[in-house]
Amino acid sequence: MAQTIMTVDDSPSMRMLLRAALGKMGYTIIEAEDGIDAMEKLSNNRPDLLITDINMPRMDGFGLIESVRQDDSWRNMPILVLTTETSDEKKQRARMAGATGWIVKPFSPDKLAAAIRRVLH
């Protein structure tokens, strides 16, 4: 069975790029447009991996990571941050919130695939 990845990004074009790249890699994709949307979708989906942007309206990536990590059933789900942010301070903050890894936009499908393999296997 294909592994499921939830992508969380407020940019429709970024969600489309992720859908295309991840679909080619054979993953099932659930899309959310911000942290609140993602939390609602997590209540009735079980993705194997969460890929989230940081800068989003309503609930940003940091808030989403913290919310997910507060739920015991999601404690071990890997979370990759996909963002234009490159500051060490933001990376540190994401790590402290519970992020597993960090990918900088724009991403190459190869880099994305490698990062996903690292956290899923």
Side-chain angles (χ1 to χ4, degrees), residues 13-53:
S13 56
M14 184 50 66
R15 288 197 306 272
M16 196 174 75
L17 280 170
L18 282 166
R19 185 186 326 127
L22 297 169
K24 276 193 194 112
M25 294 175 210
Y27 295 105
T28 301
I29 299 116
I30 302 165
E31 295 179 19
E33 53 195 44
D34 61 32
I36 303 236
D37 189 28
M39 288 307 292
E40 286 167 3
K41 289 182 172 159
L42 279 172
S43 63
N44 46 18
N45 289 285
R46 305 275 326 156
D48 298 290
L49 168 67
L50 183 67
I51 299 179
T52 183
D53 187 16

Side-chain angles (χ1 to χ4, degrees), residues 42-92:
L42 279 172
S43 63
N44 46 18
N45 289 285
R46 305 275 326 156
D48 298 290
L49 168 67
L50 183 67
I51 299 179
T52 183
D53 187 16
I54 290 292
N55 303 308
M56 299 179 288
R58 299 202 305 160
M59 181 193 277
D60 69 5
F62 295 124
L64 173 59
I65 295 166
E66 285 163 4
S67 298
V68 166
R69 289 301 185 223
Q70 282 166 5
D71 184 331
D72 281 344
S73 57
W74 298 115
R75 185 123 316 144
N76 298 317
M77 176 177 62
I79 300 175
L80 287 176
V81 175
L82 177 63
T83 180
T84 52
E85 298 285 350
T86 55
S87 81
D88 286 337
E89 180 215 345
K90 293 251 166 90
K91 284 184 187 172
Q92 187 59 36

